[in-house]
């Protein structure tokens, strides 16, 4: 049995070489397993995340998406198409809730609540995993949860009906909490048109994006307007807090017309009787001259501080989707300050921001950060995360808030805002007609901000801001009261009735 | 015990007294397990896809069970000492392949491959039974070595007369069936190599002139070696079949090494293989493209043309992770037209995960190991080389195709033994298992205890 002689091993191929060949085969198969482990474990995240890998998209649409709820009822749905991307979003009342829901499109992604709460709705939120560690291994996807909004269905409908397709927006909040009760933009669109992946979706996308009316623009939170006279609420708050005004009925030292400091430009009023008018009269009749001078008297520093306390220049507002920052210019000369103080120059505000201003007045000077999501739940209703309420902050003295409330009530009782009056309800408001365009040639924006408190209620229950872009071409101060105030009234009535 | 004892007493020969136990009961139990696992997989697919147990579960299970039973009976009659593992492994892999093909059929309602595969599987098991019953001694094959090689070359050359399919010229279409003759050729070549090398190994190992430290065999002996190498490269060039040529070449080198024990042959083999691959990779755009895809699997994505099949296959494996998505719940259909054949392993990887894939590779490894074990136990050179050749054939083919779809080596269009859709492949692999059963029976029944394997 010599191993190395000629024809060893009795003429048979030796066991030794067979074992070598066997080891070689074992090596090949071991290399396979090692490589499979590399692909399936080590580098799997990288492959999963490759944008050309459709699995994440398929998984996303494999199950029905969670719903967005208003007053306990879903305003969204899911349609089983039986296609590779199986479930498509449906919106039973699409245009009405579009500025809140946004769209969830297989082709164009998500916006607004569909975007901000995507983790919960699509089921990827870690909170939705029953056993987190195990889910990492098994790659299980949770069933989509629901998002319960703070919206009041009737207020939303009233606002949408009130705008009646005219360009504009409505924002309503509950002053004591910051809950957003209505968020409407007009003209709107149906997000269901963008849900799927078909050619129809592509053409709808192109059509909506090229529409001069900009139906996909969320005017309530993503568009800023010059707030015009509604900003006089802020100016009055600054003046009262700074002690520039102590008696609302005392005659002010304000000429009509008012020459802007350091310029030859003369600021005028739409109506008569503004010269040396008291703050109360000037507020009720919206005298530009009085408030421009008041802003200058308060000074840039205090005006900026008050405006920022109300939420101007805050770029971080999330409800939970982001809100366009409202602006009050911090680097102004006295003439610019005068214009800024009556809501012109670089002063711009979203309707939501102006609703916050009215809410702060109604809530004794406390500003509550607005929020749209009451809570998120698992599918079936078990709570996932709690209320979106955050602590409020005092933005003016309570006494100042009380006097402002008195002024606003006067506007509705006997001033420019009588159209907002509701029998048996205490309503406070402020009209505004904002000039814009080159040389103020554009059709002015009609504004109305207000709050309402029913007789037996301890505090105001709703604050509303309405802006209508193409108000009837009556350029008088009346357009804020004539066009926007009735819309606000219907929204407030809807909330108080509920 | 009493039964074994009585057998011993009846035969009475001392050599036979150390025969290995028959283990047919083990084989039967494993077969039952293999059939049950396949039926379970079939039901799992149905439950995942439609929430109900598929209507054919009992029928298919019974069909597979009857096939396995007949094969088992044939083994009991004609190969009672055979290794109990190869047959159950074949049934399990074949059954799992049927489950995967049935599962993929659900994605392509117009193209049902599972029924055809079942017919081919039946033919394959039939061939298995035929081989086990008819071939009483594997050494008979030695006599037909040259018939085998001629048949193999004819089969290899046939597809050249037929049009190319998907860029490769490896199919012939007869009466609606497409056959891949290269699959049959590989068994015939394994027989020829084993017989040729068993006859000429001393000449290969020691004759010829010596050049520096290498011992070169004479031209008469070396001639067939070079011929086979040229044929394998020729197949590649004419039929654009990188996989088959690699398989033949690998098989030949392994057998040459086992027969002669000369490491130099491996070096020469590797050198020739690299030369051939480089030359063909340069000259042949189809093969060159495969190599490019392997080096840069995501190049088509970066070029904006979407993922290619290899990238999709990698995505599928990655999506499976450790435990897989579960049968019927993956998306390997994204890979495209070859999902049921070349890329079926990607479905296994996605839906059964690394755990399932490892189990499958281990099944193949077990089959290979059992082949080697039979080779080690046999006492004559032809049987040894045949067993080693068949086992290596399985290992090489699994490596080439699995390595291809997981991005380890360039992709070649080959069928995963037993798993993939493809009649020629299933039939051939059953023939291989039949030969392994046959040689293991010889090894275990003639085992005389003089040399421990």
């Amino acid at each position: 049995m010599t191993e190395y002689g000629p024809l060893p091993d009795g003429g048979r191929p030796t066991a030794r070489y067979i074992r070598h060949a066997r080891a070689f085969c074992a090596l090949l198969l071991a290399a396979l397993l090692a490589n499979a482990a590399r692909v399936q474990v080590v580098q799997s995240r990288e492959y999963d995340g490759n944008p050309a890998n459709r699995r994440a998209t398929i998984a996303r649409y494999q199950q029905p998406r969670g719903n967005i709820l208003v007053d306990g009822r879903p305003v969204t749905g899911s349609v089983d198409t039986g296609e590779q991307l199986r479930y498509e979003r449906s919106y039973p009342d699409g245009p009405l809730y579009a500025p809140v829901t946004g769209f969830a499109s297989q082709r164009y992604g998500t916006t607004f609540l569909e975007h901000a709460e995507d983790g919960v709705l699509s089921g990827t939120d870690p909170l939705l995993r029953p056993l987190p560690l195990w889910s990492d291994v098994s790659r299980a996807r949770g069933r989509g949860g629901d998002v319960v909004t703070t919206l009041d269905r009737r207020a939303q409908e009233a606002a949408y009906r009130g705008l009646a397709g005219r360009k504009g927006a409505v924002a309503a909040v509950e002053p004591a909490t910051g809950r957003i009760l209505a968020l409407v933009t007009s003209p709107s669109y149906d997000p269901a048109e963008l849900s799927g992946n078909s050619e129809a979706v592509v053409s709808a996308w192109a059509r909506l994006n090229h529409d001069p009316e900009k139906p996909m623009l969320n005017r309530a939170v993503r568009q800023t307007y010059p707030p015009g006279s509604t900003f006089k609420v802020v100016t009055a708050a600054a003046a009262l807090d700074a002690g520039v005004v102590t008696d609302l009925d005392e005659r002010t030292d304000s000429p009509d017309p008012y020459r802007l400091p350091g310029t030859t430009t003369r600021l005028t009023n739409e109506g008569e009787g503004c010269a040396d008018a008291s703050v109360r009269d000037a507020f009720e009749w919206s005298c530009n001259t009085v408030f421009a001078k008041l802003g200058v008297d308060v000074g840039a520093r205090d005006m900026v501080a008050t405006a920022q306390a109300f939420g101007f220049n805050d770029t971080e507002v999330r409800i939970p989707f982001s809100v366009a920052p409202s602006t009050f210019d911090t680097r102004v000369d006295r003439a610019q300050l005068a214009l800024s103080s009556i809501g012109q120059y670089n002063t711009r505000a979203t309707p939501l921001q102006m609703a916050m201003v009215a809410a702060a007045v109604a809530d004794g000077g406390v500003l509550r950060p607005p929020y749209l999501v009451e809570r998120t739940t698992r599918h079936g209703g078990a709570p996932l995360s709690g209320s979106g309420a955050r602590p409020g902050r005092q933005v003016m003295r309570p006494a100042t808030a009380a006097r402002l409330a008195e002024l606003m009530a006067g506007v509705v009782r006997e001033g420019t805002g009588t159209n907002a009056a509701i029998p048996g309800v205490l309503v406070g408001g402020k009209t505004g007609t904002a000039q814009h365009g080159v040389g103020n040639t554009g059709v002015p924006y009609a504004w109305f901000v207000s709050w309402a408190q029913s007789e037996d209620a301890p505090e105001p229950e709703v604050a509303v801001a309405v802006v209508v872009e193409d108000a009837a071409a009556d350029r008088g101060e009346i357009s804020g009261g004539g066009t926007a105030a009735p819309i606000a009234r219907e929204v407030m009535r809807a909330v108080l009735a509920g | 015990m009493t039964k074994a004892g009585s057998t011993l007493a009846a035969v009475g020969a001392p050599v036979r007294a150390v025969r290995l136990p028959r283990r047919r009961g083990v084989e039967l139990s494993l077969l039952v397990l293999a059939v049950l696992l396949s039926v379970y997989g079939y039901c799992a697919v149905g439950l995942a896809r439609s929430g109900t147990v598929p209507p054919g579960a009992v029928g298919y299970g019974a069909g597979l069970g009857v096939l396995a039973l007949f094969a088992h009976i044939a083994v009991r009659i004609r190969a009672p000492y055979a290794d109990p593992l190869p047959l159950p492994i074949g049934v399990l892999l074949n059954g799992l392949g049927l489950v995967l093909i049935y599962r993929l059929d659900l994605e392509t309602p117009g193209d049902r491959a599972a029924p055809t595969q079942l017919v081919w599987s039946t033919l394959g098991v039939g061939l298995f039974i035929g081989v086990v019953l008819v071939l009483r001694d594997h050494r008979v094959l030695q006599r037909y070595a040259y018939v085998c090689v001629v048949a193999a070359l004819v089969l290899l050359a046939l597809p050249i007369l037929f049009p190319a399919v998907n860029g490769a010229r490896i199919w012939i279409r007869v009466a609606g069936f497409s056959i891949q003759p290269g699959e049959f050729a590989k068994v015939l070549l394994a027989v020829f190599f084993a017989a040729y090398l068993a006859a000429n190994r001393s000449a290969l190992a020691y004759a010829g002139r010596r050049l520096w430290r290498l011992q070169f065999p004479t031209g008469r002996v070396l001639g067939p070696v070079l011929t086979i190498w040229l044929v394998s490269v020729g197949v590649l060039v004419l039929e654009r079949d990188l996989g088959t040529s690699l398989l033949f070449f690998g098989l030949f080198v392994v057998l040459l090494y086992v027969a002669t024990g000369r490491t130099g042959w491996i070096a020469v083999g590797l050198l020739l293989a690299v030369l051939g691959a480089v030359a063909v990779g340069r000259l042949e755009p189809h093969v060159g493209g495969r190599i490019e895809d392997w080096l840069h699997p995501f190049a088509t994505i970066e070029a904006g043309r979407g993922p290619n099949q290899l990238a999709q296959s990698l995505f599928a494996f990655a999506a499976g992770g450790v435990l897989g998505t579960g049968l019927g719940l993956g998306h390997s259909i994204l890979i495209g037209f070859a999902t049921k054949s070349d890329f079926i392993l990607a479905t296994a990887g996605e839906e059964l995960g690394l755990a399932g894939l490892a189990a499958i590779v281990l099944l193949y490894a077990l089959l290979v190991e059992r082949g080697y074990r039979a080779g080690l136990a046999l006492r004559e050179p032809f049987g040894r080389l045949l067993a080693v050749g068949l086992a290596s054939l399985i290992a090489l083919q699994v490596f080439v195709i699995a390595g291809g779809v997981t991005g380890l080596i360039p992709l070649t269009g080959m069928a995963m033994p037993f798993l993939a859709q493809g009649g020629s492949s299933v039939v051939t692999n059953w023939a291989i298992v039949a030969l392994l059963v046959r040689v293991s029976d010889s090894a275990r029944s003639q085992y005389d205890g003089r040399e421990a394997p």
Side-chain angles (χ1 to χ4, degrees), chain A residues 193-204:
Chain A
E193 285 189 285
L194 303 175
S195 289
N197 208 9
S198 63
E199 280 309 303
V201 167
V202 178
S203 60

Side-chain angles (χ1 to χ4, degrees), chain B residues 167-425:
Chain B
R169 209 181 276 272
I170 53 177
W171 283 275
I172 60 175
R173 290 184 184 279
V174 181
F177 285 102
S178 62
I179 298 167
Q180 221 173 317
E183 285 284 345
F184 302 123
K186 70 188 188 191
V187 183
L188 297 172
L189 275 179
V191 172
F192 166 73
F193 284 157
Y196 182 85
L197 293 173
N200 296 296
R201 50 187 292 271
S202 62
L204 280 164
Y206 301 107
R209 68 188 72 163
R210 198 179 173 87
L211 203 69
W212 188 49
R213 295 178 62 183
L214 283 175
Q215 182 104 39
F216 276 91
T218 60
R220 193 183 61 81
V221 186
L222 192 63
V225 182
L226 284 174
T227 308
I228 297 303
W229 178 69
L230 284 173
V231 166
S232 68
V233 175
V235 166
L236 172 55
V237 174
L238 289 172
E239 304 180 356
R240 301 169 172 183
D241 190 356
L242 187 65
T244 307
S245 67
L246 205 64
L247 187 65
F248 291 170
F249 199 74
L251 171 70
F252 188 56
V253 170
V254 167
L255 286 182
L256 205 51
Y257 170 75
V258 170
T260 64
R262 299 253 148 187
T263 326
W265 281 116
I266 295 177
V268 172
L270 283 177
L271 191 71
L272 291 178
V274 168
L275 282 179
V278 168
V280 172
R282 288 271 170 80
L283 299 174
E284 179 59 60
H286 180 75
V287 177
R290 287 273 172 88
I291 294 171
E292 271 306 301
D293 286 347
W294 169 61
L295 292 174
H296 311 287
F298 297 147
T300 55
I301 297 172
E302 283 146 24
R305 282 180 280 125
N308 60 20
Q309 280 194 309
L310 178 58
Q312 287 285 19
S313 173
L314 291 173
F315 291 162
F317 279 104
V322 177
L323 295 178
T325 58
L327 275 171
L329 299 173
H331 301 286
S332 39
I333 196 70
L334 293 172
I335 294 166
F337 71 91
T339 330
K340 294 175 197 169
S341 48
D342 300 7
F343 285 94
I344 196 150
L345 199 65
T347 299
E350 178 169 13
E351 304 198 345
L352 302 174
L354 181 61
L357 195 66
I360 290 171
V361 172
L362 285 179
L363 283 178
Y364 287 117
L366 211 51
L367 196 55
V368 172
E369 149 64 14
R370 287 291 159 160
Y372 271 96
R373 182 169 290 211
L376 283 165
L378 279 166
R379 289 189 297 170
E380 35 76 42
F382 171 67
R384 286 201 136 181
L385 287 173
L386 182 63
V388 167
L390 294 172
S392 308
L393 212 49
I394 297 167
L396 285 171
Q397 184 152 0
V398 168
F399 176 75
V400 169
I401 177 65
V405 296
T406 54
L408 185 60
I409 58 168
L411 191 61
T412 56
M414 274 215 291
M416 202 69 197
F418 288 113
L419 280 188
Q421 174 202 6
S424 344
S425 172

Side-chain angles (χ1 to χ4, degrees), chain A residues 7 9 11-13 17-18 20-22 25 28-29 32 35-36 39-40 47 50 52-53 55 58 84 134 139, chain B residues 201-202 257-258 261 298 315-319 321 323 331 334 349-350 354 357 365 369 372 379 384 399 403 406 408:
Chain A
L7 288 186
D9 206 9
R12 284 175 286 165
Y17 303 136
I18 294 180
H20 287 169
R22 180 173 67 175
C25 289
L28 290 185
L29 297 181
L32 277 185
N35 187 55
V39 175
Q40 302 201 265
Y47 290 134
N50 190 303
N53 190 347
R55 278 179 183 73
I58 293 172
Q84 195 178 51
W134 176 250
R139 309 256 182 115
Chain B
R201 50 187 292 271
S202 62
Y257 170 75
V258 170
F298 297 147
F315 291 162
F317 279 104
L323 295 178
H331 301 286
L334 293 172
E350 178 169 13
L354 181 61
L357 195 66
E369 149 64 14
Y372 271 96
R379 289 189 297 170
R384 286 201 136 181
F399 176 75
T406 54
L408 185 60

Side-chain angles (χ1 to χ4, degrees), chain B residues 42-259:
Chain B
Y42 188 69
C43 293
V45 170
L47 285 169
R49 302 287 300 198
S50 59
T52 54
V53 172
V58 175
Y60 279 119
L64 195 63
V66 167
L67 284 181
L69 190 65
F70 281 157
H72 173 71
I73 291 170
V75 173
R76 260 189 198 269
I77 295 170
R78 281 293 163 80
Y81 291 94
D83 189 324
L85 281 180
L87 178 59
I89 291 174
V91 169
L92 181 52
L93 287 170
N94 201 160
L96 186 58
L98 282 166
V99 167
L100 290 173
I101 293 167
Y102 164 75
R103 175 259 171 280
L104 289 165
D105 275 350
L106 296 178
E107 306 270 0
T108 53
D111 176 25
R112 298 226 176 275
T116 320
Q117 182 79 350
L118 197 58
V119 172
W120 282 112
S121 304
T122 310
L123 284 176
V125 176
L127 183 63
F128 172 93
I129 294 169
V131 168
V132 170
L133 289 182
V134 172
L135 189 68
R136 314 273 311 248
D137 186 338
H138 64 270
R139 280 170 295 188
V140 174
L141 293 173
Q142 218 168 347
R143 283 184 232 148
Y144 298 104
Y146 285 94
V147 177
C148 283
V149 76
V150 169
L153 291 178
V154 168
L155 284 171
L156 275 179
L158 261 182
I160 296 173
L161 307 173
F162 289 80
V165 179
N166 301 323
R169 209 181 276 272
I170 53 177
W171 283 275
I172 60 175
R173 290 184 184 279
V174 181
F177 285 102
S178 62
I179 298 167
Q180 221 173 317
E183 285 284 345
F184 302 123
K186 70 188 188 191
V187 183
L188 297 172
L189 275 179
V191 172
F192 166 73
F193 284 157
Y196 182 85
L197 293 173
N200 296 296
R201 50 187 292 271
S202 62
L204 280 164
Y206 301 107
R209 68 188 72 163
R210 198 179 173 87
L211 203 69
W212 188 49
R213 295 178 62 183
L214 283 175
Q215 182 104 39
F216 276 91
T218 60
R220 193 183 61 81
V221 186
L222 192 63
V225 182
L226 284 174
T227 308
I228 297 303
W229 178 69
L230 284 173
V231 166
S232 68
V233 175
V235 166
L236 172 55
V237 174
L238 289 172
E239 304 180 356
R240 301 169 172 183
D241 190 356
L242 187 65
T244 307
S245 67
L246 205 64
L247 187 65
F248 291 170
F249 199 74
L251 171 70
F252 188 56
V253 170
V254 167
L255 286 182
L256 205 51
Y257 170 75
V258 170

